Amino acid sequence: MDFVSIKKRLLKFSRSAWTPFAAIPIALGIGAIVLLIAGYNPLQAYAAMWQGAFKDRTAITEVLIKATPLIFIGAGLAVAFRCSIWNIGAEGQFYAGAVAATAVGIYLGDLPRFLLVPLVLIAGASSGALWGMLAAFLKNRFGANEVVTTIMLNYIAIFITGWLVTGPMIETAGLFAQTAKISQNAWLWRFLPPTRLHTGFILAVVVALVLYIIIFKTSLGYTIRAVGINPEAARYAGINVKRKVLLAMAISGGAAGLGGAVEVAAISYRLYQLISPGYGFDGIAVSLLVNNNPLGVIFSGILFGALRSGAEVMQMNAKVPSVLVFLIQGLVVLSVVAFGVYSYVSKEKEE
Amino acid sequence: MKKHLFIISALIIVLSLVTACAGQPAAEPAPAGEQPAAAFKAGLLAPGPVNDGGWNQTAYEALKRMETDLGAEIGYVEVEMSPAAFEKAFRDFADQGYQFILGHGNEFTDAAVAVAPDYPNTFFFLSSSRFYDPSVPNVIGLNSDSSQPCYAFGYIAAKMGTGAGLIGGMEIPPISESFTGFINGAHAVNPDFPVQVTYLGNWTDTASAKEASISYIDGGANFLLGNADFAGNGVYQAMLEKNVYGFGMFGDNTEKAPQQILANYILDYGAGLVHLADAVKDGTFKPTSNIEFGLVDDDVIYIVYNEGAATPVPQELRDEVAALYSKISSGEIDTLAPVE
Amino acid sequence: MELIPSILFLQGILAATWRMATPILYAAVGEVFSEKAGVINIGLEGVMLIGAFSAYSVAFESGSLWLGLLVGILAGILSGLIFAFFTITIKANQIVVGAAFNMIGMGITGFLYRSMYAVSAVPLGLKTFQSVEIPFLSSIPFFGEVLFKHNIMVYGTLLLVPLATFVLYKTAFGLSIRAVGEHPKAADTVGVNVVRMRYVSVMIGTALAAVGGAFLVLAYADQFVEGVVSGRGFIALAVVVFGRWKPWGAFWSSLLFGIFYALQLRIQTMPDVNIPYQFLQALPYLATLVVLVGFNKRRVQAPKTLGVPYK
């Protein structure tokens, strides 16, 4: 690889990674207008937001903690979307992972740490992968559109979780709709005390990196993308399309499930009815924001994490309803698009 | 090239914006500007929107009460419903010198316990919780026992009605305990009184709440009780439209169905919290147990009858209910007895 | 005497079915237009929220439900215009823009609602569209209750579906819509303005989605609450696929969903049913899944260029 092409690649990468950040002022600007109209002081609001996200080391680590599930989910979705599988079901896959991880963390709690932690993560990933593969199976075998099946499977996963935490898996006291705490041996290491930053974040970055390599640097990834661009042509070229679909959903669901496992093993230590506030849907935007590039997902995940984290302090200190953050997130996505720095279609052609 | 210029200029804008913001510390001018030195600060972590006309609004109004009665500086946050968010929100408040922080639900327990040792001068209160642990003395559970007023509602329903439908958002203690109380109250009158529970699975779907209510009415029930935050509005609307009886939860909801609501359960959380907050403020708060609010705290939990209802609750029934109060308070009646 | 209650039970379910299906149906029929023209809008949930909020706030302030509905539709059309600008003119990925719309819908409606109607004890309810009992027909036993005692927006679906079918399949306009979704190049060469047709289709879609949202606050519950749409936009999306991109298909699919939803609510009200309620809640979603798999023998392809911008 000669220097020019390296430079080109770097530029290309920095372009896709930084676009979301460049789009922030536009989104914040429009947000400011809305704030003004509603009678708030935008500068004060944004100052509070900034404080909330970045004021010190703890705040920054909290941003990374919030970003962690988004990175897992977004990186996985990037693979599915590259295969043109519209997986709207990351939310359900996240739940599936959280449930399995909790079960292992509780019922195999006596295992030593070096065994239990990997088991918890594997359980989460495989449970999420299976939930994702179910949609792929229905698509392959019955031609059931994945948009429909994954939406339905979301609800089903959430209701099953609700049943488990109010029924079979409820904590022994049986009072509250939550499971017992998972065994301490299943906890992920918080390596930067007193902050809560945990190894799950590192894992998320690694997963994103690995998925990036798989998608862009291996022949497997090439075939997945080929199916995504044109399944008919891919079939002609001798690619087993159904298998790629199954695989893409397994990867996508597995990553989301791993995210669920990490959320339980590193943060909540137990399962609740609502373990996710909608990470699966945010993850869609997180992935699409960076043109379904798993590496870019690290950045967009952190961006969304920062917005969320900041929004809460904005409400605390500037009394601005935190729900505004949804608007800003949506505007960030639209601004990225409006920048026209890349266009999905031209990008597809490039490849 | 143009594109890059665009990006760079955008970046510059971001950075300047960021620095501009950073240069403007968020330290707000103290509201009302009364207490010059360390004002008493009270914060709230609400698990849902504070305008829900139900559970969260109760806490928000309590907070407002601290502002007016104690001159407290108040802050609230509707935390993202994920355990990941709770600890940070507690810390954000505590770091800013809040002495009184209320986590409005049992789900905040783990986070409060994790954070509390780092902030020994801050009290962390938990709603819907019976938490007390001398090793973390600054985390205190506050339980407002909704099963007690709802026991009275169940009693009234069974005396006056043909059947009752209870519509809840999700199965969590503030909801399920109120229903348990209702069922126990109804069964005390008539063990065969038909009463069932429906859970919607969310807090927002007013339409489903209304439809669930209609299901009960079609099945012969003429009493409804909704405990589902926002979605509860659908239950009030079903009462109004189908002209069946019902009760208001957590506040005065009479206007939502003026003829149909027979009584409102008022949870004046503020009345309960203000004296706690006052004690925290003075430094005299030395808890030795968790705190329970029940009908015995008649400024916190009480029932107000609606005289404007088409058929107000008759006086003799009110007398019976009043007689129940003392039995409930003395423990002679267990409103939370398991239902089967 | 088991017979009478079970007929009443059925009657209740069927009456509820149509009501529950209505908001989904409006949005789904709209989305049929959009997708037939080759534009998928996963932002239905957000658009429905925008429609619900604008309709509610205008109806609340003005006291006129019809004005509220009208403004709701206008807000839907405006949303569609923006959506179309991004997806058709800028040629941005449709899923991206849809995802953004879901967030924007949630954010702007929640924020404005909070700013305009601050936390207050003042009741914010509307006088909703009341049931219109069709003379004579509404007194027929069983069918009267099921079919002829609904409000005007529910009846509206009976007009909507045939009208949509007619427009799509019997008019030149509809032919053009389908053509730009299937073979935009060919349509272009015969003089159809692909861009304009897609704009119009998207805006029909969002206008109807807004009607679906408005229905929730004007004709079902009487008040806007944050997140009132509660996932119906996503269900509508599923209903379009399930209904094979046809208005009548959407009609039956949303009724199917509605019937299972009504059924699960009814079963929850029954004593002595020892099924965990979460399984009942899952029933409509599970049923949709099962039916989708079971009855999908005759595969119908999505519009050929769905999701693909046209150069």
Side-chain angles (χ1 to χ4, degrees), chain C:
Chain C
M1 290 311 287
E2 277 299 298
L3 196 64
I4 303 298
S6 63
I7 284 179
L8 278 178
F9 183 73
L10 192 63
Q11 170 185 303
I13 288 178
L14 292 180
T17 298
W18 196 4
R19 286 193 297 264
M20 302 244 47
T22 296
I24 297 166
L25 182 55
Y26 276 111
V29 170
E31 181 69 6
V32 166
F33 275 88
S34 189
E35 293 197 12
K36 275 282 177 199
V39 183
I40 183 169
N41 182 356
I42 71 158
L44 286 184
E45 181 87 3
V47 177
M48 286 177 85
L49 275 170
I50 291 172
F53 177 74
S54 356
Y56 166 77
S57 54
V58 170
F60 183 72
E61 301 296 340
S62 71
S64 161
L65 294 177
W66 289 106
L67 189 62
L69 182 60
L70 181 71
V71 174
I73 293 172
L74 290 178
I77 291 174
L78 182 66
S79 309
L81 190 64
I82 299 171
F83 187 90
F85 173 76
F86 278 99
T87 54
I88 298 166
T89 305
I90 295 190
K91 301 186 176 66
N93 179 283
Q94 295 166 5
I95 306 277
V96 185
V97 182
F101 263 69
N102 282 334
M103 294 184 205
I104 291 174
M106 184 70 207
I108 191 105
T109 59
F111 181 74
L112 289 181
Y113 179 69
R114 203 70 71 79
S115 309
M116 286 166 68
Y117 307 101
V119 191
S120 77
V122 184
L124 298 166
L126 298 167
K127 186 99 183 84
T128 54
F129 284 113
Q130 295 301 301
S131 301
V132 180
E133 304 196 358
I134 310 285
F136 179 66
L137 291 175
S138 62
S139 52
I140 303 174
F142 191 76
F143 293 102
E145 196 67 42
V146 172
L147 296 175
F148 302 111
K149 284 187 184 173
H150 291 291
N151 68 55
I152 187 129
M153 289 185 77
V154 177
Y155 293 132
T157 58
L158 278 189
L159 194 66
L160 171 75
V161 177
L163 187 68
T165 309
F166 178 79
V167 168
L168 271 176
Y169 293 98
K170 300 281 185 240
T171 65
F173 174 68
L175 180 67
S176 308
I177 288 180
R178 287 181 292 133
V180 301
E182 292 288 338
H183 305 288
K185 278 213 178 81
D188 201 359
T189 46
V190 298
V192 176
N193 186 331
V194 175
V195 167
R196 190 197 293 159
M197 285 318 295
R198 287 193 168 176
Y199 258 83
V200 171
S201 306
V202 165
M203 279 149 66
I204 292 174
T206 52
L208 286 174
V211 174
F215 172 81
L216 290 171
V217 295
L218 301 180
Y220 216 145
D222 61 346
Q223 187 177 346
F224 180 83
V225 302
E226 291 171 44
V228 67
V229 177
S230 303
R232 287 183 175 80
F234 289 101
I235 300 299
L237 214 55
V239 157
V240 172
V241 180
F242 193 26
R244 300 168 183 198
W245 290 274
K246 288 193 169 71
W248 278 110
F251 182 75
W252 297 118
S253 313
S254 49
L255 282 183
L256 180 86
F257 184 83
I259 201 169
F260 279 105
Y261 207 101
L263 181 68
Q264 74 93 354
L265 286 177
R266 300 268 146 170
I267 299 176
Q268 284 203 54
T269 69
M270 287 158 62
D272 309 322
V273 176
N274 289 320
I275 308 167
Y277 66 88
Q278 290 94 350
F279 291 166
L280 297 172
Q281 289 171 339
L283 184 67
Y285 308 98
L286 203 57
T288 308
L289 206 55
V290 169
V291 177
L292 179 68
V293 169
F295 289 76
N296 212 33
K297 298 281 183 287
R298 195 163 52 90
R299 292 195 190 173
V300 177
Q301 287 293 320
K304 274 208 185 66
T305 62
L306 189 60
V308 184
Y310 180 68
K311 308 258 162 192

Side-chain angles (χ1 to χ4, degrees), chain A residues 77 81 87-88 279-289, chain C residues 42 95 99:
Chain A
L77 285 178
F81 291 167
N87 176 13
I88 315 291
Y279 292 140
F281 299 103
D282 282 351
I284 295 173
V286 162
S287 171
L288 292 167
L289 198 53
Chain C
I42 71 158
I95 306 277

Side-chain angles (χ1 to χ4, degrees), chain B residues 11-36:
Chain B
L11 273 175
I12 291 168
I13 297 170
V14 182
L15 287 175
S16 53
L17 202 88
V18 153
T19 42
C21 292
Q24 260 215 357
E28 285 198 308
E34 294 168 67
Q35 293 88 2

Side-chain angles (χ1 to χ4, degrees), chain B residues 153-209:
Chain B
F153 285 165
Y155 191 89
I156 295 169
K159 285 276 184 180
M160 293 179 72
T162 54
L166 313 178
I167 292 114
M170 297 181 85
E171 189 179 354
I172 58 170
I175 312 292
S176 54
E177 289 186 358
S178 68
F179 292 167
T180 304
F182 188 100
I183 295 170
N184 282 327
H187 287 174
V189 176
N190 171 10
D192 296 322
F193 185 75
V195 47
Q196 282 292 313
V197 175
T198 294
Y199 285 109
L200 302 171
N202 64 63
W203 307 108
T204 55
D205 196 345
T206 46
S208 290

Side-chain angles (χ1 to χ4, degrees), chain A residues 96-169:
Chain A
V99 166
T102 310
V104 170
I106 292 173
Y107 301 122
L108 301 179
D110 295 332
L111 291 178
R113 197 181 179 115
F114 72 95
L115 268 178
L116 191 55
V117 168
L119 265 182
V120 162
L121 298 178
I122 290 168
S126 25
S127 167
L130 283 175
W131 203 248
M133 283 158 78
L134 186 54
F137 168 76
L138 295 175
K139 183 185 176 74
N140 287 340
R141 178 77 179 71
F142 301 101
N145 184 297
E146 77 276 7
V147 172
V148 185
T149 55
T150 51
I151 290 174
M152 299 300 153
L153 288 170
N154 279 342
Y155 284 98
I156 294 170
I158 292 169
F159 289 132
I160 291 177
T161 308
W163 170 65
L164 287 172
V165 301
T166 56
M169 285 175 75

Side-chain angles (χ1 to χ4, degrees), chain A residues 25 44 50 52 62 176-177 196 263 267 270 272-274 277 279 308-309 312-313 315-317 319 339, chain B residues 6 14 18 22 28 74 76-78 80-84 87-89 92-93 96 106 110 128 171-173:
Chain A
Q44 204 184 8
W50 172 262
E62 287 292 331
F176 299 108
R196 298 195 290 163
E263 192 74 357
I267 296 295
R270 56 170 114 219
Y272 297 86
Q273 289 181 87
L274 295 176
Y279 292 140
R308 281 296 170 84
S309 207
E312 285 172 0
V313 175
Q315 182 166 44
M316 244 177 235
N317 293 351
K319 314 276 187 277
F339 254 106
Chain B
F6 199 21
V14 182
V18 153
E28 285 198 308
I74 60 167
Y76 72 97
V77 56
E78 289 150 357
E80 197 174 45
M81 273 321 283
S82 109
E87 244 186 87
K88 166 153 198 291
D92 282 333
F93 273 130
Q96 296 182 51
N106 166 259
D110 288 350
S128 177
E171 189 179 354
I172 58 170

Side-chain angles (χ1 to χ4, degrees), chain A residues 16-98:
Chain A
S16 66
W18 281 99
T19 313
F21 290 86
I24 300 173
I26 294 180
L28 290 183
I30 299 174
I33 296 170
V34 175
L35 279 167
L36 274 176
I37 293 170
Y40 295 98
N41 177 349
L43 268 182
Q44 204 184 8
Y46 290 153
M49 206 167 181
W50 172 262
Q51 285 260 322
F54 302 115
K55 74 167 188 282
D56 56 23
R57 192 176 65 162
T58 312
I60 293 169
T61 57
E62 287 292 331
V63 168
L64 302 182
I65 289 167
K66 285 214 168 177
T68 303
L70 296 178
I71 295 173
F72 276 117
I73 291 173
L77 285 178
V79 175
F81 291 167
R82 282 278 168 182
C83 190
S84 284
I85 304 295
W86 298 112
N87 176 13
I88 315 291
E91 184 79 355
Q93 292 141 19
F94 184 90
Y95 272 87

